[in-house]
Amino acid sequence: MEVVHHHSAFLLPPAPAGHRTSLSYALVVLNQRLPRFAPLLWQHANLRLCADGGANRVFDEMPALFPDEEADVIRNRYKPDVIKGDMDSIRSEVMDFYIKLGTKVVDESHDQDTTDLHKCVSFIRDFTSDLDKSRLCILVVGALGGRFDHEIGNINVLCRFKNMRIILISDDCLIHLLPEGKSHEIHILPSVVGPHCGLIPIGMPSKSTTTTGLQWNINGAEMHFGGLISTSNIAKEDIVTVHSDSDLLWTISIKKPQDRLQ
Amino acid sequence: MPALLPDEEADVIRNRYKPDVIEGDMDSIRSEVLDFYIKLGTKVVDESHDQDTTDLHKCVSYICDFTSDLDKSRLCILVAGALGGRFDHEIGNINVLCGFKNMRIILISDDCLIHLLPGGQNHEIHILPSVVGPHCGLIPIGMPSKSTTTTGLQWNLNGTKMQFGGLISTSNIAKDDTVTVHSDSDLLWTISIKKSQDRLQ
């Protein structure tokens, strides 16, 4: 049976130059307040996209994360490669600023059928068509919180692109899909994530899920909304394994700076 | 509460906005807060022995029992603080809506509200355009929906199937003051709440 490994190394500083990492990261910034570790994710990424108003967030909020440096220096350093979406939220001065710096702008205002995140994931998939998709990991900030229908629309993108690694990240937690029928090994870095976690049968009941490494492991039990779903669980070990007959969302908390192990 | 009413004295506000009950496993409430409300007469129900249900579930059960002589269709539970933050908490709270599907429970944040529309019933949602909308959505939480029909939306559904991984109705727009929904399975309804600056006067 295929084993799929999941890591959260993107929450640690990038490995020194010369060390090849096994994953290639892309970053998508959506239109919510940037998490405090957005600069770290930016450093890991080889490709950085802003979805529409996400460009306003980078323009306004990256400088605020570096209060000791000049805003213009920060804006030049954190320049998105692409701005994509229907362009109804990005401010014109922000668009002009990044166009002058060489950012590519892809106007998709004609396409009202897919969310901004969906457009960005499609773009990344096409842009990296020669890359083995198991080596590509798309990090997304700004997908959670705010309007619930937006949040669910973003989670649906994880379900639509279930064979791609896409991780939604906020200040409080991260979420990604564990596709059905595979053996998942989730490598926990206790200095940066956990221990609060959960497994959610999004979209349909799960007839049988089995886990190891959790405080309350599941042993072939059924999960469905209205009945048992695994929330407020605790990751006890450094590897959590999950196998299920249907797609599950995995979520784990991200440690606040004051809670991190030194 | 005092910060929301900055022109009044904090103590006056705290006395006015006194909870009737504090319920849960008590691992977050600060001891000076607990003492303050106990002195004012708030009832404290310590459920720290029960690790199997969420705090919201405990509160809904309590309200159910406390209002046992009230016709449940006349009771509506408003919940603030259920959304945002840890995703597993948010989902745990949504699961309470599914677990008590025949009760009116509405999760409310600054940005939106969410409640369940149980399957098999005809729902009429009365929109107050001065305070809610227009952004809305219908979500087949828990299982695919074979057939949903709506009126009053920009993109109405017409016997349409919905499921995660395929079509779900998000970023829809409420066009009429009454939206109707009928589905074979439970759906979550969500609609945006207008910011103060967007409200119709």
Side-chain angles (χ1 to χ4, degrees):
Chain A
M1 160 141 2
E2 184 187 346
V3 177
V4 183
H5 296 270
H6 304 272
H7 297 268
S8 41
F10 50 85
L11 289 172
L12 293 176
H19 283 67
R20 271 187 63 84
T21 53
S22 54
L23 287 180
S24 237
Y25 292 104
L27 176 66
V28 177
V29 181
L30 300 178
N31 192 5
Q32 303 269 6
R33 199 168 57 87
L34 295 182
R36 63 187 180 281
F37 41 77
L40 177 61
L41 302 180
W42 192 281
Q43 281 174 49
H44 278 286
N46 299 117
L47 179 62
R48 296 108 175 188
L49 273 80
C50 290
D52 194 6
N56 297 337
R57 297 288 178 173
V58 174
F59 185 88
D60 295 335
E61 295 172 18
M62 276 298 194
L65 293 172
F66 295 94
D68 297 335
E69 300 194 53
E70 277 198 41
D72 277 340
V73 170
I74 299 302
R75 288 184 178 126
N76 276 272
R77 189 187 306 160
Y78 292 92
K79 167 187 87 83
D81 300 301
V82 180
I83 296 171
K84 186 167 169 83
D86 55 22
M87 305 304 167
D88 62 1
S89 301
I90 186 172
R91 300 199 308 270
S92 50
E93 74 270 19
V94 173
M95 174 118 79
D96 293 341
F97 179 88
Y98 287 123
I99 287 176
K100 283 201 185 81
L101 284 187
T103 299
K104 180 176 158 135
V105 173
V106 183
D107 185 329
E108 298 269 13
S109 48
H110 57 275
D111 176 359
Q112 290 294 312
D113 287 341
T114 55
T115 62
D116 283 345
L117 177 58
H118 188 129
K119 293 178 176 73
C120 288
V121 171
S122 297
F123 179 92
I124 293 168
R125 185 192 50 191
D126 299 340
F127 192 81
T128 58
S129 56
D130 54 342
L131 180 65
D132 171 9
K133 287 293 175 281
S134 66
R135 290 195 49 231
L136 172 65
C137 181
I138 302 179
L139 308 175
V140 185
V141 297
L144 307 174
R147 267 172 48 196
F148 184 69
D149 68 311
H150 273 169
E151 189 174 290
I152 288 291
N154 291 328
I155 286 166
N156 198 34
V157 173
L158 303 190
C159 301
R160 282 186 185 263
F161 290 89
K162 60 188 262 190
N163 293 312
M164 291 182 70
R165 293 180 184 273
I166 308 171
I167 308 182
L168 308 185
I169 309 169
S170 74
D171 272 311
D172 300 291
C173 64
L174 61 86
I175 305 173
H176 58 85
L177 200 73
L178 300 179
E180 43 92 7
K182 301 186 177 168
S183 275
H184 296 281
E185 283 192 20
I186 304 165
H187 299 260
I188 310 286
L189 282 173
S191 59
V192 292
V193 296
H196 308 286
C197 58
L199 282 163
I200 297 140
I202 196 78
M204 70 171 70
S206 158
K207 295 194 187 72
S208 172
T209 298
T210 299
T211 68
T212 64
L214 300 174
Q215 170 114 0
W216 293 282
N217 278 310
I218 306 166
N219 201 357
E222 208 216 338
M223 292 202 290
H224 68 276
F225 273 87
L228 171 79
I229 59 178
S230 179
T231 63
S232 296
N233 211 326
I234 300 277
K236 300 282 285 180
E237 296 172 28
D238 288 356
I239 297 182
V240 168
T241 69
V242 182
H243 180 88
S244 180
D245 68 298
S246 66
D247 298 339
L248 300 178
L249 283 184
W250 162 256
T251 181
I252 189 162
S253 54
I254 293 178
K255 288 198 154 97
K256 308 283 184 222
Q258 60 269 27
D259 301 329
R260 292 193 177 192
L261 303 177
Q262 295 308 320
Chain B
M1 275 299 193
L4 294 171
L5 296 157
D7 296 336
E8 302 194 53
E9 278 197 43
D11 277 341
V12 170
I13 300 303
R14 288 185 179 124
N15 276 271
R16 187 185 310 157
Y17 293 92
K18 168 186 87 80
D20 300 301
V21 181
I22 296 172
E23 157 119 12
D25 56 21
M26 305 303 164
D27 60 1
S28 301
I29 186 171
R30 299 197 309 270
S31 51
E32 73 270 20
V33 173
L34 189 57
D35 292 342
F36 180 85
Y37 288 123
I38 288 176
K39 285 200 183 82
L40 285 187
T42 298
K43 177 174 163 139
V44 174
V45 182
D46 184 332
E47 298 271 14
S48 47
H49 56 277
D50 177 358
Q51 292 293 312
D52 287 340
T53 55
T54 62
D55 283 345
L56 176 58
H57 187 126
K58 293 178 176 69
C59 287
V60 171
S61 296
Y62 179 94
I63 293 168
C64 250
D65 298 341
F66 192 80
T67 57
S68 56
D69 54 345
L70 179 67
D71 169 9
K72 286 294 175 286
S73 67
R74 291 195 48 232
L75 171 67
C76 183
I77 302 179
L78 309 175
V79 186
L83 306 175
R86 265 172 49 194
F87 184 69
D88 69 309
H89 274 169
E90 190 175 290
I91 289 291
N93 291 328
I94 286 165
N95 199 33
V96 173
L97 303 188
C98 303
F100 290 88
K101 61 189 262 191
N102 294 313
M103 290 185 70
R104 293 178 186 275
I105 308 172
I106 308 182
L107 308 185
I108 309 169
S109 74
D110 271 313
D111 300 290
C112 64
L113 62 85
I114 305 174
H115 58 83
L116 200 73
L117 301 178
Q121 296 174 24
N122 284 318
H123 298 281
E124 279 190 23
I125 303 163
H126 301 266
I127 311 285
L128 282 173
S130 59
V131 291
V132 297
H135 307 287
C136 59
L138 283 162
I139 297 139
I141 196 78
M143 68 172 70
S145 159
K146 295 194 189 69
S147 172
T148 298
T149 298
T150 67
T151 64
L153 300 175
Q154 173 116 359
W155 292 284
N156 279 310
L157 301 169
N158 201 358
T160 315
K161 254 191 186 173
M162 290 203 289
Q163 65 180 80
F164 275 87
L167 174 78
I168 59 179
S169 179
T170 64
S171 296
N172 211 327
I173 300 277
K175 301 281 287 180
D176 297 343
D177 287 356
T178 300
V179 167
T180 69
V181 182
H182 183 93
S183 181
D184 66 297
S185 65
D186 298 341
L187 300 179
L188 283 185
W189 162 257
T190 181
I191 189 162
S192 53
I193 292 178
K194 287 199 155 95
K195 307 285 185 215
S196 334
Q197 61 269 29
D198 301 329
R199 292 191 178 191
L200 304 177
Q201 295 308 320

